[in-house]
Amino acid sequence: MPRLAQTAGLTDVQQEILSTVREFVDKEIIPVATELEHRDEYPQDIVDGLKELGLFGLMIPEEYGGLGESLLTYALCVEEIARGWMSVSGIINTHFIVAYMLKQHGTQEQKDTFLPRMAAGEVRGAFSMSEPALGSDVSAITSKAVKDGDEYVLNGQKMWLTNGGTSTLVAVLVRSDEGHSAQEAAAAPHRSMTTFLVEKEPGFGEVRPGLTIPGKIDKMGYKGVDTTELIMDGLRIPANRVLGGVTGRGFYQMMDGVEVGRVNVAARGCGVAQRAFELGVGYAQQRHTFGKPIAQHQAIQFKLAEMATKVEAAHAMMVNAARKKDSGERNDLEAGMAKYLASEYCKEVVEDAFRIHGGYGFSKEYEIERLYREAPMLLIGEGTAEIQKMIIGRRLLEEYRIQG
């Protein structure tokens, strides 16, 4: 194991899981990632391998067929997977947010129906908050559910679904104004939102009556994983597929899931930064200029020192945020800080590794070119850096309010 980004206090089971995942990443992901990414090809063989390892059930309780592991174990696994190829970590992250929301907020019938099949990787999750016009302003969503007998009819357009095509269960946040007057809904928009559990066939086009997944969005990076829109036009969902069985709680359920997601994005930033450091420190020892390896030039050593320090700091903050959530405490401040720092540092470490590669960093033959296109996604995924700073600032003012 390398010197950087070690985690103290892990159990033997955690260490065994992590070494198994690292070995899988080194053998099955790193050798093929760049080629698959350039083709924008879904990594089916890799996903099948992760399913065999039981990773789709990592945090799902043992009573539902999962491994019942902590958020820390999961985050450290994500860090390893993102070190190999960030897109693969995206495939399991959205699955886990939905599984976590079901575990925390689902009815007993919903847990019994979905969690065992999610643990086995048979049902694959995606979740949907964003819409084309709103970005980070979740309270402004316009997608709507209207009650009709024992069912709800959903209409609207959602955006940026990771796993939108391959998933078979989507947690969708929409507005449901029943029990609220128009004035109440306008005054507290987050209280009139509901999460629906929408089952569908994998694929593109009309995947069930009233539900269309138009196709993959073509992206700069983060390829392989499918990112899509979702269009609901008279989509009928039975009342027993309201998450938790009660309307009006969707915003809080989603925010709980997003806290887990932010730790995950921090872990991805840590993993990508680690890989960029590995590539930079390796290349610096092989490339010669002025009669010696460039690693012996002070300018390059300074870069390596800064990169390694950032890798170490981001990992420590990510681990702290995961442990806080695992202890049952509120971790929105720590998760926001970890996500913000890890994504910013990731971008900087990747850029320094890119500079160390010189002209070759611009060549598609070198892995750093892929990382350079992947890192920016972390600056906007699960809430932009600016949104993280707003969350951090508000929480700090709560904690440090002047008395009297």
Side-chain angles (χ1 to χ4, degrees):
M1 289 287 281
R3 172 74 181 269
L4 291 181
Q6 293 298 296
T7 313
L10 296 181
T11 64
D12 291 346
V13 172
Q14 287 175 312
Q15 287 173 344
E16 195 177 323
I17 290 170
L18 282 174
S19 66
T20 303
V21 171
R22 178 171 273 261
E23 191 179 332
F24 181 84
V25 167
D26 286 339
K27 285 185 180 170
E28 308 295 334
I29 298 183
I30 288 175
V32 299
T34 296
E35 187 187 338
L36 288 173
E37 198 268 353
H38 286 158
R39 293 206 302 262
D40 199 4
E41 185 177 316
Y42 186 78
Q44 190 59 58
D45 289 347
I46 292 171
V47 170
D48 291 344
L50 293 174
K51 206 192 283 190
E52 277 179 42
L53 289 179
L55 240 65
F56 282 98
L58 192 63
M59 265 180 81
I60 294 173
E62 290 178 18
E63 67 203 86
Y64 299 107
L67 297 176
E69 272 295 332
S70 63
L71 177 59
L72 176 63
T73 310
Y74 171 58
L76 294 173
C77 287
V78 165
E79 183 178 42
E80 293 293 351
I81 291 165
R83 189 184 136 259
W85 184 13
M86 194 178 80
S87 294
V88 180
S89 63
I91 291 168
I92 57 171
N93 178 42
T94 42
H95 176 83
F96 261 108
I97 288 177
V98 179
Y100 173 82
M101 285 165 62
L102 269 162
K103 180 184 84 169
Q104 295 296 106
H105 306 288
T107 65
Q108 194 58 52
E109 183 269 335
Q110 289 166 354
K111 292 179 195 177
D112 292 341
T113 300
F114 294 115
L115 287 179
R117 290 187 292 150
M118 292 184 85
E122 291 162 18
V123 167
R124 300 267 293 289
F127 76 107
S128 175
M129 285 194 297
S130 192
E131 293 181 3
L134 61 88
S136 297
D137 185 8
V138 179
S139 65
I141 65 171
T142 58
S143 297
K144 207 158 182 195
V146 177
K147 196 153 202 270
D148 182 23
D150 290 336
E151 295 182 317
Y152 287 85
V153 181
L154 277 59
N155 287 286
Q157 185 178 2
K158 307 299 279 184
M159 193 71 178
W160 306 119
L161 269 81
T162 302
N163 278 354
T166 40
S167 58
T168 52
L169 178 66
V170 187
V172 183
L173 186 67
V174 299
R175 193 167 293 296
S176 60
D177 293 337
E178 53 180 322
H180 296 277
S181 68
Q183 289 86 351
E184 285 173 331
H190 54 285
R191 286 191 188 149
S192 60
M193 293 186 196
T194 298
T195 304
F196 285 87
L197 300 168
V198 178
E199 296 169 82
K200 70 174 189 66
E201 290 298 313
F204 300 101
E206 192 170 18
V207 290
R208 70 176 273 179
L211 181 66
T212 301
I213 306 288
K216 284 163 69 167
I217 297 166
D218 198 13
K219 308 183 296 282
M220 171 175 88
Y222 196 41
K223 293 175 181 283
V225 60
D226 51 287
T227 306
T228 72
E229 295 173 73
L230 176 146
I231 297 165
M232 300 172 289
D233 183 10
L235 171 64
R236 302 189 79 87
I237 301 293
N240 67 355
R241 289 295 169 257
V242 169
L243 180 62
V246 181
T247 60
R249 295 184 181 169
F251 182 81
Y252 305 103
Q253 293 163 345
M254 282 278 179
M255 290 304 109
D256 190 24
V258 164
E259 277 184 23
V260 172
R262 284 186 179 142
V263 173
N264 170 287
V265 173
R268 287 195 229 182
C270 292
V272 173
Q274 277 180 51
R275 185 61 185 157
F277 175 78
E278 288 170 14
L279 294 171
V281 77
Y283 186 81
Q285 293 170 78
Q286 293 160 2
R287 173 85 164 133
H288 285 67
T289 62
F290 306 104
K292 60 184 176 183
I294 62 171
Q296 289 181 20
H297 295 295
Q298 191 181 52
I300 300 299
Q301 286 181 13
F302 280 5
K303 273 198 198 311
L304 293 172
E306 289 168 8
M307 290 159 73
T309 303
K310 288 171 181 174
V311 165
E312 194 74 352
H315 177 84
M317 286 197 80
M318 179 272 290
V319 167
N320 180 51
R323 284 189 158 139
K324 190 116 185 187
K325 186 88 171 169
D326 282 332
S327 72
E329 294 177 76
R330 184 176 177 182
N331 86 330
D332 55 344
L333 179 65
E334 291 76 12
M337 284 180 165
K339 191 269 172 189
Y340 166 59
L341 189 90
S343 57
E344 294 288 343
Y345 275 0
C346 174
K347 176 195 64 140
E348 292 168 13
V349 171
V350 166
E351 181 163 322
D352 279 341
F354 173 81
R355 289 170 186 248
I356 286 169
H357 279 75
Y360 289 106
F362 220 61
S363 162
K364 285 200 166 194
E365 283 180 44
Y366 283 75
E367 195 179 331
I368 192 64
E369 179 270 344
R370 168 170 64 81
L371 302 188
Y372 197 77
R373 287 182 291 103
E374 286 177 342
M377 198 291 274
L378 298 171
L379 300 171
I380 51 175
E382 309 291 9
T384 62
E386 289 70 26
I387 288 288
Q388 303 311 316
K389 287 192 272 190
M390 277 170 55
I391 292 166
I392 293 163
R394 283 176 190 160
R395 286 290 285 119
L396 289 172
L397 288 169
E398 281 177 34
E399 295 284 339
Y400 288 88
R401 182 173 286 122
I402 296 171
Q403 300 300 313

